[in-house]
């Protein structure tokens, strides 16, 4: 794991998510969260089974949630690679699914989540994760 900060987007894996999203949204002004989740599953970056424990899947869910949270808070994406993307649209159930994917990492269900183990004891990471969940919850 190449990581230089608290956020998932501050890691090699998070940047892979940002790259995949920028390719997907290259000629689009608007994307649906449901379509993004489906796209990342098709790429093998997100599991079909939300209960499946995997470092890559967890990091992808968190990075995607960070992108959505930035959009929620700013009304636009904050990443240069996504400058052409003007809108992320979601249904309540899609936002809830994303929130649950992030929450299960924070809750460390089963106690075997590699990402959680790597960050266990990092209070900045815990605060960041709780903030991501809080921002997503505001829109539910």
């Amino acid at each position: 794991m190449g990581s230089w900060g608290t956020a998932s987007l501050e890691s090699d894996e998070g940047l892979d998510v940002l790259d995949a999203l920028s390719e997907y949204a290259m000629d689009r002004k608007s994307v649906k969260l449901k379509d993004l989740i489906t796209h990342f599953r098709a790429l093998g970056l997100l599991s079909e089974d939300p209960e499946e424990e995997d470092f890559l899947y967890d990091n992808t869910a968190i990075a995607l949630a960070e992108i959505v949270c930035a959009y929620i808070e700013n009304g636009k994406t904050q990443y240069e690679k996504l400058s052409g993307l003007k809108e992320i649209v979601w249904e309540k159930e899609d936002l809830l699914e994303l929130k649950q994917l992030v929450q299960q990492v924070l809750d460390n269900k089963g106690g075997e989540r590699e990402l959680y183990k790597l960050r266990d004891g990092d209070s900045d990471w815990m605060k960041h994760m709780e903030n991501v969940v809080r921002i997503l919850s505001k829109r539910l």
Side-chain angles (χ1 to χ4, degrees):
M1 174 176 114
S3 180
W4 52 91
T6 302
S8 285
L9 287 167
E10 296 173 329
S11 71
D12 292 336
E13 295 80 9
L15 292 180
D16 290 343
V17 171
L18 188 57
D19 286 344
L21 178 53
S22 68
E23 286 178 27
Y24 178 81
M26 187 179 308
D27 297 325
R28 303 168 197 241
K29 298 232 183 272
S30 177
V31 295
K32 293 180 182 178
L33 180 57
K34 179 179 185 141
D35 294 342
L36 290 178
I37 291 170
T38 300
H39 178 69
F40 281 101
R41 285 186 170 137
L43 291 175
L45 297 174
L46 202 56
S47 176
E48 292 289 335
D49 177 5
E51 294 295 317
E52 187 172 348
E53 296 177 7
D54 183 89
F55 174 82
L56 179 61
Y57 299 154
D58 289 347
N59 204 65
T60 297
I62 295 166
L64 185 56
E66 290 168 354
I67 291 166
V68 171
C69 285
Y71 179 78
I72 289 170
E73 291 196 309
N74 303 310
K76 61 181 181 175
T77 61
Q78 68 180 33
Y79 306 98
E80 183 64 32
K81 287 185 170 189
L82 301 176
S83 62
L85 182 61
K86 304 298 181 202
E87 181 179 46
I88 301 173
V89 183
W90 57 81
E91 298 292 328
K92 188 174 183 177
E93 61 269 9
D94 304 319
L95 198 60
L96 181 60
E97 179 180 359
L98 184 60
K99 178 191 164 253
Q100 289 172 331
L101 290 171
V102 174
Q103 185 68 54
Q104 72 187 15
V105 177
L106 186 59
D107 292 345
N108 192 27
K109 290 182 179 172
E112 296 300 320
R113 300 195 98 82
E114 183 181 357
L115 182 58
Y116 187 92
K117 285 180 180 181
L118 288 170
R119 297 293 196 155
D120 193 20
D122 181 344
S123 62
D124 290 338
W125 182 78
M126 292 296 283
K127 287 176 190 171
H128 172 70
M129 292 289 290
E130 290 166 355
N131 190 48
V132 168
V133 169
R134 182 188 58 76
I135 292 168
L136 294 174
S137 296
K138 285 192 313 188
R139 295 299 174 119
L140 292 175

